Amino acid sequence: MKYFFSEIDEINLTFGDIHLNKFGMEYIKIYFERPNEGGFDFLESTLPALNIKNSHGFNQQELQNLLEYARNNAFLIWDIARENLKCKKTKNLVKKHFFFITCAARRAL
């Protein structure tokens, strides 16, 4: 699943769920996208490493700025991903007991 985080200068930052690599370390895939005439410019990376996995259309300075933006906002991205993970686990647990609860309702408890 992807979660929208922000839009700055027509560049969207989205990210996925928390995953585990082969060493058991957590990571999150992050994506920057900007519309262009033929489709999208994009940057694919991961937190916490912030290595460029794939990119197209952004120049070197833009890539550095985007990775710096991700670094500066990493704590928010992790928080959002963890909250969404908690909501999923709660929903799955509650569904097993024939009830349904939303994340908003869970936060209100």
Side-chain angles (χ1 to χ4, degrees):
M1 175 175 279
K2 279 192 180 180
Y3 308 104
F4 174 77
F5 178 65
S6 66
E7 180 181 352
I8 297 175
D9 296 331
E10 296 184 14
I11 300 173
N12 289 326
L13 168 59
T14 57
F15 55 92
D17 291 325
I18 297 173
H19 300 281
L20 294 177
N21 67 15
K22 63 183 177 181
F23 304 108
M25 302 295 293
E26 293 181 330
Y27 70 94
I28 300 173
K29 293 179 184 180
I30 61 172
Y31 308 90
F32 289 94
E33 296 177 334
R34 172 177 62 193
N36 65 29
E37 291 179 16
F40 288 91
D41 299 328
F42 67 90
L43 165 62
E44 246 180 271
S45 185
T46 60
L47 285 174
L50 290 172
N51 296 325
I52 296 174
K53 299 291 184 184
N54 200 358
S55 71
H56 171 76
F58 290 113
N59 65 40
Q60 281 303 116
Q61 184 61 49
E62 290 173 319
L63 292 172
Q64 288 177 341
N65 291 343
L66 293 172
L67 292 175
E68 183 68 22
Y69 179 81
R71 182 178 294 111
N72 291 339
N73 290 280
F75 67 98
L76 291 172
I77 296 168
W78 283 101
D79 283 350
I80 293 168
R82 286 200 194 289
E83 181 63 27
N84 287 324
L85 182 62
K86 288 178 193 174
C87 290
K88 282 183 189 178
K89 287 181 179 178
T90 300
K91 284 180 183 179
N92 289 338
L93 177 66
V94 172
K95 283 180 184 177
K96 288 180 183 175
H97 293 93
F98 307 103
F99 293 101
F100 181 78
I101 188 168
T102 65
C103 293
R106 190 179 124 283
R107 283 189 212 109
L109 297 176

